[in-house]
Amino acid sequence: MTHQAIAVMVSGRGTNLAAILEAASKGNCPVDVRVVISNKVDAPALRIARDAGVETVLFINPKDYKDRDAYDKACADVIEKAQCQWIVLAGYMRILSSFFVNHFLNRIINIHPALLPAFTGADGVGDALAYGVKVAGCTVHLVNEEVDGGAILAQAVVPVLDDDNRDSLHQRIQAEEYKLYPQTLSRMVQCGFSMHARRIVWGKA
Ligand code: GAR
C-alpha cells in the first residue's frame, strides 16, 4: 500500500495525534508521521510524538519570529525539507498566515469539534452546548484563509444529552474524532479527491 508522509501541527494534548500514530502503526492508516511541530513548549503532544519515534519533533517558538509570516515560513521550511505531502492540524490553536495556506493549498487538513459551518472558532463545543443544539459532532476539512471555512472532507455526529457539560460533550466528540481523522487520512491517500466548488468528491479525478 502506498504511504504518504505527513506533518502534524499541534498545540495541546495530542490525543488526535496519538490516534493517527496508533492507526498508522497498526497498518490502518497509510501515513508516515514524519514531522510534528508545536507552537507550545509544554504541549503533551510533543512527548507523544517523541515516544512514538517520530523523526522530527520540534517546538518552534513564535516569540523567536518577527511576525506570523516569518513563523509560518520557518514551519514550512521544516515540512518541505522532510518532503511531507500533507499538513495535518490536530488541535493546532494558531491562525495560519495567507502565505502558509496558499503555499500548501489544498494540502492542509484540520479537525474541528463541531458540525461546520456551525460553531467555528476556539470554543466550538462550548458554543454548540450554549446554543442548545441536540446533535453535535466533528468535521475534517481542508484549510483555506477563512477560519474553519474550507471544504468539508468528512463529518461525524453525536447526540447532546440533557446532563452534558462542556467536558462530557467534548469527550463524546473526541471519541469520534479518533476514528474519523485516521479514516479520512486513509481515504485521502488511497482514493484521492476532486473539488467541485465547495464539494469534495472522493476518487481520483
Ligand atoms: C480536538 O477536539 C480538536 O477538534 C480541537 O482541539 C482538540 C485537540 O485535542 N480543535 C479545535 O478546536 C480547532 N479549532 P488533542 O490535542 O487532544 O488532539
Side-chain angles (χ1 to χ4, degrees):
M1 197 194 299
T2 323
H3 276 58
Q4 288 180 357
I6 67 170
V8 182
M9 298 178 80
V10 295
S11 303
R13 286 193 309 147
T15 59
N16 276 287
L17 168 65
I20 294 166
L21 286 164
E22 192 189 336
S25 78
K26 287 185 171 158
N28 295 329
C29 183
V31 297
D32 166 20
V33 180
R34 206 170 277 174
V35 171
V36 171
I37 295 173
S38 171
N39 64 322
K40 297 280 182 198
V41 68
D42 54 355
L46 286 167
R47 169 156 293 278
I48 290 174
R50 289 195 189 104
D51 288 352
V54 174
E55 233 168 76
T56 303
V57 182
L58 295 173
F59 158 58
I60 304 184
N61 191 347
K63 290 193 182 134
D64 290 344
Y65 297 86
K66 71 174 188 326
D67 57 23
R68 198 173 290 279
D69 267 23
Y71 182 82
D72 282 0
K73 278 191 180 116
C75 295
D77 281 350
V78 173
I79 291 166
E80 283 195 323
K81 248 184 223 131
Q83 298 188 310
C84 296
Q85 174 69 22
W86 301 100
I87 296 92
V88 174
L89 309 184
Y92 186 62
M93 303 307 271
R94 193 179 149 87
I95 307 275
L96 294 167
S97 60
S98 312
F99 154 75
F100 192 93
V101 171
N102 290 308
H103 191 72
F104 295 114
L105 194 64
N106 296 334
R107 290 169 52 199
I108 311 169
I109 300 110
N110 183 40
I111 191 155
H112 182 71
L115 295 171
L116 292 174
F119 311 117
T120 59
D123 189 16
V125 179
D127 292 344
L129 192 63
Y131 194 89
V133 294
K134 296 299 183 196
V135 293
C138 51
T139 303
V140 179
H141 63 94
L142 293 177
V143 172
N144 65 10
E145 287 193 52
E146 194 188 326
V147 174
D148 301 323
I152 291 172
L153 290 157
Q155 292 184 300
V157 177
V158 301
V160 179
L161 305 182
D162 286 349
D163 59 353
D164 265 336
N165 56 37
R166 205 189 161 286
D167 284 348
S168 62
L169 179 57
H170 196 192
Q171 256 179 42
R172 192 172 311 115
I173 292 170
Q174 285 222 286
E176 293 303 313
E177 292 187 335
Y178 305 151
K179 293 183 267 177
L180 191 70
Y181 221 177
Q183 273 168 12
T184 308
L185 293 173
S186 292
R187 212 168 177 196
M188 283 168 32
V189 172
Q190 285 169 343
C191 309
F193 60 81
S194 54
M195 279 178 75
H196 305 263
R198 286 195 52 90
R199 289 190 63 214
I200 299 282
V201 176
W202 291 103
K204 301 260 187 271

